[in-house]
C-alpha cells in the first residue's frame, strides 16, 4: 500500500529509488572514510606536538558533527524544515559517540592496540613483524572506534530522525486525559 506522506527532500530525486537503509549505510561508509582520513591526518600532525590521540579525536569529532549531519540530511533523511533544530537534536548523538570514541581511543592507545593488531596480522599471514620503534598512527584503533560509534549512531539516528507519524483525525481519546 503506497504511503501518502511526502517524500523527504534529498539532494537528488533519484535517491528515493535506493532503500533508506542502503543510503544510510553508503553515506555512513563515505562519512567514515572522510572522518578517518581527517582524523589520521590530524593524529600525524598533532600527536608529535604532544597532544594525546583521545584529545585529537574529541576535537576533530566535534568539528566533524555538522559535516556528518549535512551528509545525512542531503542523502538519507532529507533536508529538515528547520536545519538548526535538526542539528541540535542530532548533536547529542554525535557528542555521545564522541565520548564513546574518545574513551575507546584512549584505551586502545594505552594498550597499544595498533601494534597488537599489526603483530596479529603479521603472525596470521606469516609476514615479517613490524618494527614498533618509530612513531605510528592509529589506523586499526580507528577501525574499531569507527565500528563502535557507527553502530551507536545508526541506532540513535533512526530513532531521532524517524518521520513523525501522521496524526489521524479520529484518534482514540485517552479517558484519563479527559478528566
Amino acid at each position: 500500500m503506497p504511503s501518502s506522506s511526502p517524500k523527504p527532500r534529498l539532494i537528488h530525486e533519484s535517491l528515493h529509488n535506493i532503500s533508506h537503509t542502503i543510503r544510510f549505510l553508503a553515506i555512513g561508509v563515505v562519512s567514515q572514510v572522510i572522518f578517518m582520513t581527517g582524523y589520521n591526518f590530524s593524529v600525524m600532525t598533532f600527536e608529535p606536538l604532544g597532544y594525546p590521540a583521545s584529545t585529537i579525536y574529541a576535537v576533530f569529532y566535534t568539528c566533524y558533527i555538522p559535516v556528518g549531519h549535512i551528509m545525512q540530511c542531503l542523502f538519507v533523511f532529507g533536508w529538515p524544515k528547520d536545519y538548526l533544530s535538526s542539528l541540535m537534536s542530532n548533536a547529542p548523538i554525535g557528542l555521545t559517540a564522541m565520548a564513546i570514541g574518545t574513551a575507546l581511543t584512549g584505551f586502545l592507545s594505552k594498550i597499544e592496540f595498533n601494534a597488537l593488531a599489526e603483530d596479529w596480522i603479521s603472525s596470521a599471514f606469516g609476514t615479517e613483524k613490524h618494527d614498533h620503534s618509530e612513531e605510528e598512527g592509529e589506523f586499526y584503533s580507528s577501525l574499531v572506534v569507527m565500528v563502535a560509534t557507527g553502530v551507536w549512531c545508526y541506532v540513535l539516528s533512526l530513532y531521532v530522525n524517524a518521520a513523525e507519524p501522521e496524526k489521524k483525525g479520529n484518534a482514540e481519546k485517552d479517558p484519563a486525559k479527559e478528566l
Side-chain angles (χ1 to χ4, degrees):
M1 185 163 144
S3 173
S4 62
S5 63
K7 292 181 180 178
R9 297 181 315 180
L10 300 175
I11 194 165
H12 195 274
E13 190 67 28
S14 65
L15 289 170
H16 289 289
N17 298 329
I18 302 170
S19 154
H20 182 265
T21 304
I22 298 299
R23 289 193 319 255
F24 191 95
L25 180 62
I27 289 304
V29 168
V30 169
S31 182
Q32 287 295 336
V33 167
I34 293 168
F35 176 82
M36 284 180 50
T37 302
Y39 168 66
N40 281 307
F41 175 77
S42 297
V43 165
M44 297 299 232
T45 303
F46 295 109
E47 204 170 42
L49 300 175
Y51 295 99
S54 58
T55 301
I56 297 167
Y57 178 88
V59 170
F60 187 80
Y61 201 113
T62 301
C63 295
Y64 190 77
I65 288 172
V67 175
H69 181 254
I70 286 172
M71 290 175 62
Q72 292 293 330
C73 289
L74 291 173
F75 295 98
V76 182
F77 296 107
W79 198 257
K81 290 178 184 171
D82 183 5
Y83 177 77
L84 192 55
S85 67
S86 175
L87 177 61
M88 291 300 109
S89 66
N90 278 275
I93 296 170
L95 293 173
T96 56
M98 178 188 67
I100 292 167
T102 301
L104 190 54
T105 299
F107 172 73
L108 293 174
S109 184
K110 185 175 183 170
I111 66 167
E112 297 180 357
F113 180 79
N114 216 55
L116 293 171
E118 287 177 349
D119 290 345
W120 181 81
I121 290 169
S122 293
S123 65
F125 294 106
T127 59
E128 187 176 323
K129 292 232 181 221
H130 183 72
D131 178 20
H132 300 294
S133 62
E134 53 184 70
E135 195 68 29
E136 48 187 74
E138 299 283 333
F139 179 75
Y140 297 110
S141 297
S142 296
L143 290 177
V144 171
V145 171
M146 176 190 72
V147 170
T149 59
V151 170
W152 177 259
C153 288
Y154 175 73
V155 171
L156 293 180
S157 291
L158 286 177
Y159 177 74
V160 169
N161 295 306
E164 293 181 20
E166 291 183 37
K167 295 183 179 180
K168 296 181 182 179
N170 299 354
E172 286 186 34
K173 294 181 180 179
D174 185 357
K177 292 181 181 176
E178 295 284 322
L179 299 174

